[in-house]
Amino acid sequence: MMSKLQNKPAIIYQSLYLANLLLVPALSFLLLIYYFYKDKSLSHFSRIHLIRSIQISALAGVMLGIGPTIYILYSDQFSTSMMITAFYFVTLHALFVLVGIFNLARAMSRKLPLF
């Protein structure tokens, strides 16, 4: 049985993932990287939540930042590409936030993340 103190780091990591999407993107991601290199004595449960938060943050950065930029740069119809990019960004951003909320709820209930 896991104690309440063992899942506290997992809750912090999932909260940092959500902060990366909603509040302070670069700073939150750097904090996740810092925790990855600093905390070597984490429980297996917390380590999995940390690694998953970093993976999904990196994926979100690529899919929300680099993907739309490449699409706009290589499109010959600027107004159409901006409309499609705005729709893509809003939809995908909402999806990543929902995944973060789901994983935060799983961390609070002492379960492993699914995504």
Side-chain angles (χ1 to χ4, degrees):
M1 189 74 178
M2 191 181 321
S3 71
K4 285 190 175 194
L5 292 178
Q6 285 181 325
N7 75 327
K8 187 174 181 181
I11 294 170
I12 291 171
Y13 303 144
Q14 294 298 337
S15 298
L16 280 172
Y17 165 73
L18 283 171
N20 185 34
L21 285 172
L22 299 171
L23 297 174
V24 281
L27 181 63
S28 299
F29 185 71
L30 290 175
L31 276 172
L32 284 170
I33 298 297
Y34 170 75
Y35 283 131
F36 180 75
Y37 286 110
K38 177 187 165 266
D39 293 339
K40 297 295 182 188
S41 63
L42 288 173
S43 68
H44 183 68
F45 173 78
S46 295
R47 192 84 173 150
I48 289 174
H49 273 279
L50 174 60
I51 291 170
R52 185 62 63 198
S53 295
I54 292 172
Q55 288 173 340
I56 298 177
S57 291
L59 180 66
V62 168
M63 292 184 76
L64 294 174
I66 297 172
T69 304
I70 291 173
Y71 182 73
I72 289 172
L73 290 176
Y74 288 109
S75 176
D76 32 338
Q77 294 182 348
F78 183 73
S79 60
T80 305
S81 66
M82 287 301 293
M83 180 185 63
I84 291 171
T85 300
F87 180 75
Y88 169 83
F89 183 85
V90 169
T91 305
L92 204 61
H93 187 270
L95 175 73
F96 279 120
V97 170
L98 288 174
V99 166
I101 291 169
F102 182 71
N103 282 340
L104 178 62
R106 290 192 57 89
M108 288 178 173
S109 63
R110 297 180 190 95
K111 295 180 181 177
L112 293 176
L114 288 182
F115 302 104

